Amino acid sequence: NAQEYPLWVNAVTFLVAAVIIWGAGTRLTHYVAGIASHTGWGEAFVGMLLLGGITSLPEIANVVTSSLTGNPRLGINNLLGSAAINVLLLAVADVFIGRDAVTSVVVKPSTLLMGICCMLLLMTTAGAVATGDLLIFGVGIAAIVILLMSIASLWFVAGYDERAIWKIKGKREEPENEDDQPEAPLATLVLKTV
């Protein structure tokens, strides 16, 4: 029980865990970029699916636990709070990077489409929270709609860069640096990611 330990022990434990997570996250982004390169699925899709899924594991655990213990409001607030913190982190990164806005660096149609899909999902979630939900066989209609929208968003974004009929003007796409991509085989990258 962490409450029995002195504050400094908890603070040191937190800092050590934060350093480990930071290092793992840095490596993970390289592995996911390699998987995107090997599979041809595109960085936006693989990043959304793998990085988004992996970094959402704590939220999934919190939502499942809060729902099973009869406190679904805690789960919903956790998810919406997490989304708000992610947007805040983008703003903070913009301040510290200073050159261009973080969001202006990624000038791919799939990234913009992914942002639009995320906004639609959040609006649907907010609408369901604000208006309530109807149950069908113990499952909310809004939950089914959000699940189907999520699957459709993943499908729609996958490979969108290759089939997009529009290009962003006024910003040159920088060529990909070969040194940034891991040279490990796909199977190795997948195992390291897991």
Side-chain angles (χ1 to χ4, degrees):
N1 188 357
Q3 292 177 344
E4 297 174 5
Y5 298 119
L7 179 61
W8 71 268
V9 171
N10 287 325
V12 168
T13 303
F14 177 80
L15 288 174
V16 168
V19 168
I20 291 170
I21 290 170
W22 186 280
T26 303
R27 292 176 123 175
L28 186 61
T29 56
H30 292 293
Y31 300 150
V32 170
I35 291 170
S37 174
H38 281 295
T39 60
W41 289 343
E43 286 183 358
F45 173 71
V46 174
M48 181 171 57
L49 186 64
L50 289 180
L51 283 179
I54 291 168
T55 59
S56 294
L57 289 175
E59 284 83 14
I60 293 169
N62 287 334
V63 168
V64 168
T65 302
S66 63
S67 297
L68 290 176
T69 58
N71 196 356
R73 286 185 181 175
L74 178 64
I76 289 172
N77 289 327
N78 176 49
L79 288 176
L80 295 176
S82 175
I85 290 294
N86 286 333
V87 172
L88 174 67
L89 289 175
L90 278 175
V92 170
D94 276 350
V95 169
F96 286 108
I97 289 177
R99 295 179 304 248
D100 286 332
V102 171
T103 51
S104 72
V105 174
V106 185
V107 290
K108 293 187 175 181
S110 59
T111 305
L112 297 173
L113 178 63
M114 182 176 54
I116 291 168
C117 290
C118 288
M119 285 187 276
L120 290 172
L121 284 165
L122 283 172
M123 287 189 305
T124 305
T125 303
V129 169
T131 61
D133 202 356
L134 297 174
L135 295 179
I136 298 178
F137 303 114
V139 178
I141 293 174
I144 295 168
V145 169
I146 291 168
L147 174 67
L148 293 175
M149 285 177 66
S150 298
I151 292 169
S153 296
L154 287 171
W155 173 81
F156 197 48
V157 171
Y160 186 74
D161 286 329
E162 285 77 34
R163 63 180 191 272
I165 58 173
W166 57 276
K167 300 287 181 200
I168 297 173
K169 292 184 179 183
K171 183 87 174 171
R172 255 190 9 215
E173 280 194 49
E174 297 179 17
E176 289 186 22
N177 187 353
E178 294 289 329
D179 298 334
D180 290 344
Q181 301 298 327
E183 294 186 20
L186 178 60
T188 303
L189 291 170
V190 170
L191 287 175
K192 287 182 176 182
T193 302
V194 175

